[in-house]
Structures are given as structure tokens and as C-alpha cells.
Amino acid sequence: MKRKRYEMEKTKKTELQTVIEELSLFIITKPGDNTEAVHIPLRPILSFGNLIIQVLDKIGPTMAVLRQDIDQNIQRLEKVCETDSCVYSNLVEILKKEKEEGTSKMVASCSRAIFWLTKTMDFTAGLLRSLSKEPSSRMEELVEECYMTTLKPHHGWIASAAFKVCLKLVPDNKTFMDAIGARDESNDTLKEDIDTLSSLLTPILKEIYFVLDRYGVNRLRSM
């Protein structure tokens, strides 16, 4: 019985591996140069956002503000998707709808939610790449470097000040690595998972940024 339980725990996927599995099936349909005909599935993006939330939950209450922001963006997109899942399972249709309504740049728009989730994905992917390449570097330094290139250009002074506070609460490398992988997982396996996730996210982010640019919501700013 104990052996069976051990085998089950051993083969159980981590959150990171589950998202990798989902993103590996991610298919962007792009017929010709017609941006409006592009299909970018929303569900895997929401899954990645939920992965970030799960990691933040493991780290503890110090990341509560960031967690709440991500969760609100996910809920906003899930709500619109529920109104017509056949149409709004495509991220592009949401952007198109709000552009036509003239609401895409409003504070509570889904276009903003997509923008900030994409930026969060970009930040997370960059941080994971840095950890994979420089595992001995201080977590605080890696977080700040990734922040400067992904989120900082879109943050006003209030958001930037909030980040400086959060930076002081960043966990050490081991705590973070334990949060994204199984505690008994080897460093080599975890590094391989991180590299796989990064390679999957790079082309996805490129396509989303292209569409955000076409719909005029690639340069939004917070307060």
C-alpha cells in the first residue's frame, strides 16, 4: 500500500508540468495576413494565470496584492467567455468586440485584462529563464531585472512604488523553486521543465503582442 502511494506521488504532475502539457497543445490559427481571422485560444492563457496564482499561494500572503490583481483579470475574462464560449474562447474576438464598442481602454475592460495577463506571463517567463541560467543569483535581483524590461515601462508611480514594497518580500531561491516544482524533483528535471515552458511561451507571447498592437492596446499604463 505504501509502495503504491509512493508510485502515485512519484508520477503525479507538478503544476508546471500540467501547464506545459496544456500549452503544448496550444494552436494559433493564422490564415494569411487577416488579423481578424486569427484564432488565439483563451483557455491555456487563463490556465497559466492560474498556475501563477497557485505559486503565489505557496509562497504565502506576502504576494497577496499581485495575486488579487491576476485573479481579477482571470475572472473578468472567464465572465465574458461564459456569455458565448464559442466566440469568446478566441482572445482576438474579445479585443475586436471592445474595439468596436470603444471600451478597450477603459479601466475594467477585458482588453486591459488580456494586456496585463500577457505582461505577467512575459515577466514570469523571463524570471524562469533567468533562474534556469543563473540559479545561484539572488532572487531579488532577478525579479527586479525582469520587472524593468516587462512591467516597469507600463507602470505609473503608484504601481512602481507598490513593486518596490513587494520586492522586499520576495522569497529566496529555494522557497520559489519548491513552489513551482515538486519538493523531491531533481534540479535537472525542474530546469528541463522551465526550459520547455519558456520555449512554448516565446512564440505564443509574440503572437499575442502582435494582435494587441493591431488592436491598439499594447501601450497601456497603470497609475
Side-chain angles (χ1 to χ4, degrees), residues 36-52:
E36 293 190 359
V38 174
H39 186 283
I40 301 179
L42 179 63
R43 185 54 54 187
I45 296 168
L46 298 183
S47 294
F48 188 79
N50 279 313
L51 166 67
I52 298 173

Side-chain angles (χ1 to χ4, degrees), residues 18-223:
T18 300
V19 171
I20 287 171
E21 192 174 86
E22 190 161 353
L23 288 179
S24 66
L25 302 174
F26 193 102
I27 298 174
I28 297 176
T29 307
K30 194 176 180 182
D33 297 322
N34 185 0
T35 306
E36 293 190 359
V38 174
H39 186 283
I40 301 179
L42 179 63
R43 185 54 54 187
I45 296 168
L46 298 183
S47 294
F48 188 79
N50 279 313
L51 166 67
I52 298 173
I53 287 176
Q54 290 170 35
V55 170
L56 294 176
D57 283 342
K58 288 181 180 180
I59 290 172
T62 56
M63 298 288 123
V65 175
L66 177 59
R67 184 204 186 284
Q68 182 182 19
D69 186 54
I70 297 169
D71 190 43
Q72 286 177 344
N73 287 329
I74 291 173
Q75 288 185 36
R76 195 175 300 159
L77 292 170
E78 286 180 335
K79 188 175 180 179
V80 73
C81 191
E82 287 170 2
T83 62
D84 191 337
S85 58
C86 291
V87 175
Y88 300 124
S89 59
N90 179 9
L91 176 154
V92 179
E93 289 297 330
I94 298 174
L95 295 172
K96 180 182 176 182
K97 173 181 177 288
E98 291 194 339
K99 183 178 181 180
E100 291 173 350
E101 295 173 346
T103 60
S104 60
K105 295 184 180 180
M106 293 178 67
V107 175
S109 73
C110 287
S111 297
R112 273 188 177 272
I114 292 169
F115 172 81
W116 287 114
L117 269 182
T118 303
K119 281 295 171 184
T120 302
M121 288 169 63
D122 201 358
F123 167 79
T124 306
L127 179 59
L128 291 174
R129 278 195 301 271
S130 296
L131 271 171
S132 178
K133 293 177 182 176
E134 308 168 55
S136 59
S137 295
R138 290 178 64 241
M139 190 71 180
E140 186 176 330
E141 292 175 357
L142 297 178
V143 169
E144 186 168 21
E145 286 175 10
C146 293
Y147 171 77
M148 295 301 288
T149 58
T150 56
L151 294 168
K152 170 67 173 174
H154 303 276
H155 276 178
W157 72 271
I158 294 177
S160 295
F163 170 77
K164 289 180 181 178
V165 174
C166 289
L167 191 61
K168 296 176 182 178
L169 305 173
V170 168
D172 58 35
N173 295 41
K174 185 181 184 305
T175 301
F176 183 80
M177 294 301 261
D178 283 346
I180 64 174
R183 291 180 182 275
D184 59 348
E185 189 177 39
S186 71
N187 287 335
D188 288 341
T189 301
L190 187 55
K191 184 179 184 302
E192 185 179 327
D193 287 343
I194 289 173
D195 291 343
T196 300
L197 180 62
S198 178
S199 66
L200 288 169
L201 281 175
T202 300
I204 293 172
L205 287 168
K206 182 180 178 181
E207 291 298 334
I208 297 175
Y209 277 132
F210 174 77
V211 172
L212 288 173
D213 185 55
R214 293 297 292 268
Y215 281 91
V217 284
N218 65 324
R219 293 186 177 85
L220 300 179
R221 286 181 64 83
S222 64
M223 294 180 66

